[in-house]
Amino acid sequence: MCGIVGYVGDNKSLEVLLGGLKRLEYRGYDSAGVAVIGADGTMDTRKRAGKLQVLVDDLDMRPMANGATGIGHTRWATHGGPTDRNAHPHLGDDGKLALIHNGIIENFSELKNELVESGATFTSETDTEVAAILVGREYAATGDLTEALRRVVQRLEGAFTLLVMHVDQPGVVVGARRNSPLVIGLGDGENFLGSDVAAFVEFTRRAVAIGQDQIVTIRPDSVVVTDFDGNSVETDEFEIAWDASASEKGGWSSFMAKEISEEPEAVAKTILGRVHDGLVDLKELEPLGPDALTDIDRIVVIACGTAAYAGMLGKYAIEQWSRIPVDVELSHEFRYRNPILTPRTLVISISQSGETMDTLMAVKFAKESGAKVLSVCNTQGATIPRESDAVVYTHAGPEVAVASTKAFVAQVTALYLIGLELGKVRGTLSDDEIRHNVAELQAVPDKISEILTVSQAEIGQLAHWMTDTQSVLFLGRNVGYPVALEGALKLKELAYIHAEGFAAGELKHGPIALIEPGQVVFVIVPSPRDPDSLHPKVVSNIQEIRARGARVIAIAEKGDASVLPFADEVIPIPLAGSLFEPFLAVVPLHIFGMELSAAKGLDVDQPRNLAKSVTVE
Ligand code: M6R
């Protein structure tokens, strides 16, 4: 939550900051602001409540001086509402220092009391302003911006990325991070800081991730990283694997539309290079240790939101293929309930952003408890993979829309690869079985493409008919259950309507009381071809709700005539093995969520109250 950009270099700060904030806006869009030291040596700030465009329009009407040093911020409000005054940057006592912040300073209240007693006046309701005043005062005492920030971060509790600049120090921006993201971009005669690489990928693809409790000082021709005690630290440079066009909307109506269209590619790229001779070869698991995969006796998957539903699908596949018991837990519940972990537990964290605070805290806790941690992540240089023992990257490319789509199918792909690798190493799958499942996985991208080609318009039409619908239910059994949950989450966040996903077998234990005439219910129907299929049971469930007046929309295998008499609409999906059906069944639900949001005139990419990276607990 909150996007941060810092720049030192040429006289083009405003272009860099506004371009970076545009690409980071998905991290928070309650307000935006910039501070720039102009060529005349004065510092100017401008900040506005609302989306970035409000600030841009304001700057168009009342231009501010450009300069070679600047910081910019796009906010997701925590302390203090989304107002001009609470927008960042915040200034020190004397107005000479500007500071931006992502995170929460948990002890801000006592620091504020202390500052008020010493004569400080506050202009905002934020936790951030205490840091601005403290750093401003330390700079006045030391004349050294890096040292001033170092002194202050020692006093802060909570999670923060802070960037500061001072009017007396043109050409210098200093950043610090604890449990919130910060990445350096290395340029030629210019350097950048950002919450993630999207902030500066337009200008450079050379990046360096900053570790926990580290401070970075950038000047046009130098970058110095130290720890909070002032010791220099080693850093690793990496090349950003995508270019600026990947994080642009292109000709699409929304980022979400673009990202749904990229679901086939997200699966294909996540498989790429990880299959040899038809067998899975996941070298990324080696850092877990030589015997780790045979030694583990239990897997715990931790994740939030859509990533947790991907984890639930991973459970079905990993248990089936490796016979290792898998528990799936929401990170925030896992972290605070004293879970039982041993050195033989493998914790798999799943996170698109790699920055979700709930999952990061759970990862740290798992490591401290002696478990090994493997992360599945979509973002290079992110914090969670850096805190883990090993990482399997999903290669979905940057996901900008707040509602996760292509990252979900990429996460499921990575988990299936992990399941097949475990089956191989532990001897629970034969080579033929692995090859069969790999072939199924490799066939997924074309099948998703078929759905996108054949059904998108029809699903859009369905959404247009349903703009007044107040409640939608989703039913699925087995691997259809996480798909139902995912379909419901998409409707809640995108269309702002009541939506619930249920295990279809649970229906008669209570939820069937919700069914009244006209209630829309999406049902994920498993294939009838599999002899172990739950198809007959799901068809019975459909009849039960139909008898009570439900309007049934079935997502069923192409050619499954058995659902036709009972469903009001059928969305066909291509044939696939049972474990692979979720890759296909979820796509119509992603499209439906997007189309309903658009049909209701809502903001598809930036739903209200949300942010892409949830970097506060
Ligand atoms: O970045 P992460 O994968 O850790 O994010 C987890 C959830 O916050 C995320 O999936 C969220 O539920 C999405 N808005 C769902 O579309």
Side-chain angles (χ1 to χ4, degrees):
M1 316 202 132
C2 302
I4 278 182
V5 197
Y7 176 72
V8 285
D10 291 338
N11 210 24
K12 61 174 188 196
S13 287
L14 272 177
E15 291 92 294
V16 174
L17 299 180
L18 294 175
L21 291 181
K22 183 162 174 268
R23 282 186 299 277
L24 292 182
E25 199 181 12
Y26 65 89
R27 303 180 71 95
Y29 31 86
D30 290 336
S31 61
V34 292
V36 171
I37 299 176
D40 63 355
T42 60
M43 185 172 75
D44 199 0
T45 60
R46 189 72 56 81
K47 44 194 205 169
R48 285 289 171 268
K51 294 200 171 173
L52 179 64
Q53 193 57 44
V54 179
L55 175 70
V56 171
D57 291 345
D58 189 288
L59 287 167
D60 282 347
M61 277 193 308
R62 299 184 301 128
M64 74 189 248
N66 214 336
T69 312
I71 54 178
H73 187 271
T74 178
R75 177 171 187 245
W76 186 86
T78 57
H79 294 63
T83 61
D84 286 357
R85 277 192 311 136
N86 289 334
H88 300 209
H90 290 282
L91 303 180
D93 274 321
D94 56 7
K96 291 180 163 186
L97 174 130
L99 176 146
I100 55 179
H101 169 219
N102 172 24
I104 292 179
I105 298 168
E106 288 172 356
N107 59 335
F108 90 99
S109 200
E110 62 197 70
L111 294 170
K112 188 168 182 173
N113 290 341
E114 176 192 310
L115 287 168
V116 168
E117 272 172 33
S118 69
T121 50
F122 284 79
T123 58
S124 78
E125 301 142 305
T126 64
D127 52 338
T128 303
E129 200 175 358
V130 293
I133 294 176
L134 285 169
V135 183
R137 288 184 178 188
E138 289 293 354
Y139 180 79
T142 61
D144 180 333
L145 198 51
T146 307
E147 180 57 23
L149 185 58
R150 180 171 293 122
R151 288 185 183 190
V152 172
V153 292
Q154 315 271 12
R155 303 194 59 200
L156 304 182
E157 290 167 17
F160 49 81
T161 301
L162 298 168
L163 295 193
V164 292
M165 57 183 231
H166 195 284
V167 69
D168 293 345
Q169 295 279 313
V172 182
V173 172
V174 186
R177 67 160 294 217
R178 168 177 290 165
N179 291 332
S180 269
L182 185 59
V183 187
I184 307 166
L186 301 173
D188 189 7
E190 58 185 357
N191 287 303
F192 308 80
L193 293 169
S195 299
D196 66 52
V197 296
F200 46 73
V201 66
E202 186 184 343
F203 301 98
T204 180
R205 289 174 68 178
R206 293 174 58 208
V208 174
I210 301 172
Q212 283 297 19
D213 289 3
Q214 291 181 359
I215 293 198
V216 54
T217 306
I218 60 167
R219 294 183 168 82
D221 52 4
S222 72
V223 170
V224 177
V225 184
T226 55
D227 63 20
F228 279 4
D229 295 322
N231 306 305
S232 62
V233 294
E234 296 273 309
T235 56
D236 287 329
E237 184 179 327
F238 65 91
E239 191 183 331
I240 303 166
W242 43 275
D243 61 24
S245 65
S247 63
E248 303 288 341
K249 209 190 288 180
W252 293 90
S253 56
S254 63
F255 277 107
M256 190 177 174
K258 176 180 179 238
E259 288 159 11
I260 289 174
S261 82
E262 291 168 346
E263 290 194 29
E265 202 183 335
V267 174
K269 285 190 170 167
T270 300
I271 301 170
L272 201 69
R274 289 166 169 161
V275 171
H276 298 293
D277 190 23
L279 299 175
V280 174
D281 188 8
L282 265 190
K283 296 216 172 4
E284 294 100 320
L285 303 189
E286 282 171 9
L288 291 173
D291 301 319
L293 300 188
T294 43
D295 279 355
I296 53 172
D297 60 3
R298 182 169 157 251
I299 292 175
V300 179
V301 175
I302 50 173
C304 300
T306 285
Y309 303 147
M312 289 171 75
L313 288 171
K315 170 185 168 80
Y316 288 98
I318 294 171
E319 287 190 343
Q320 168 86 7
W321 292 331
S322 71
R323 307 310 298 152
I324 304 170
V326 181
D327 296 317
V328 184
E329 296 212 38
L330 296 169
S331 312
H332 35 89
E333 290 296 315
F334 165 85
R335 167 65 187 88
Y336 295 107
R337 69 160 183 79
N338 196 13
I340 299 162
L341 298 170
T342 75
R344 296 184 67 192
T345 311
L346 175 65
V347 170
I348 303 181
S349 80
I350 311 170
S351 176
Q352 187 286 131
S353 61
E355 300 293 349
T356 298
M357 183 60 75
D358 295 309
T359 304
L360 174 61
M361 288 301 151
V363 163
K364 289 183 166 198
F365 174 79
K367 283 198 75 177
E368 282 159 20
S369 307
K372 289 233 182 324
V373 178
L374 166 65
S375 62
V376 172
C377 182
N378 194 45
T379 310
Q380 288 172 290
T383 309
I384 290 173
R386 290 173 64 85
E387 295 288 324
S388 306
D389 296 296
V391 54
V392 174
Y393 279 107
T394 49
H395 296 302
E399 192 178 64
V400 177
V402 164
S404 190
T405 53
K406 63 176 179 173
F408 173 78
V409 289
Q411 286 161 349
V412 180
T413 305
L415 292 164
Y416 279 29
L417 291 171
I418 292 167
L420 291 170
E421 178 76 18
L422 285 167
K424 180 181 83 175
V425 172
R426 295 168 73 100
T428 44
L429 287 179
S430 68
D431 283 2
D432 281 353
E433 287 169 321
I434 295 171
R435 286 199 174 93
H436 169 76
N437 286 301
V438 165
E440 281 268 15
L441 196 55
Q442 287 172 325
V444 164
D446 283 349
K447 293 178 184 178
I448 298 179
S449 296
E450 185 182 326
I451 299 170
L452 294 175
T453 311
V454 174
S455 302
Q456 190 136 3
E458 183 195 334
I459 298 167
Q461 190 61 60
L462 199 60
H464 274 82
W465 289 331
M466 288 174 55
T467 47
D468 293 332
T469 303
Q470 295 300 313
S471 164
V472 179
L473 305 182
F474 293 81
L475 298 183
R477 275 180 185 258
N478 194 266
V479 288
Y481 173 41
V483 176
L485 295 173
E486 167 69 356
L489 177 59
K490 286 294 166 284
L491 275 203
K492 284 178 216 178
E493 67 181 334
L494 288 161
Y496 314 157
I497 60 175
H498 168 252
E500 292 294 329
F502 296 109
E506 192 64 11
L507 204 61
K508 290 193 278 290
H509 300 281
I512 199 164
L514 292 170
I515 306 292
E516 54 186 14
Q519 170 68 54
V520 177
V521 186
F522 277 81
V523 185
I524 321 305
V525 184
S527 164
R529 290 170 301 114
D530 180 350
D532 300 326
S533 166
L534 293 163
H535 182 271
K537 293 192 193 306
V538 173
V539 173
S540 298
N541 294 142
I542 292 179
Q543 287 169 297
E544 287 154 12
I545 55 172
R546 198 66 194 304
R548 287 158 180 85
R551 181 171 169 211
V552 175
I553 302 170
I555 298 177
E557 186 175 278
K558 224 169 20 181
D560 179 0
S562 58
V563 293
L564 295 178
F566 314 114
D568 297 86
E569 312 282 344
V570 179
I571 301 172
I573 56 173
L575 280 58
S578 301
L579 280 172
F580 298 87
E581 286 169 3
F583 283 105
L584 312 179
V586 80
V587 177
L589 300 183
H590 285 166
I591 298 170
F592 183 73
M594 172 185 72
E595 294 286 357
L596 189 56
S597 169
K600 290 179 76 168
L602 302 174
D603 190 330
V604 172
D605 289 332
Q606 297 179 343
R608 68 184 179 202
N609 303 337
L610 289 166
K612 183 75 179 159
S613 297
V614 183
T615 53
V616 293
E617 274 187 284

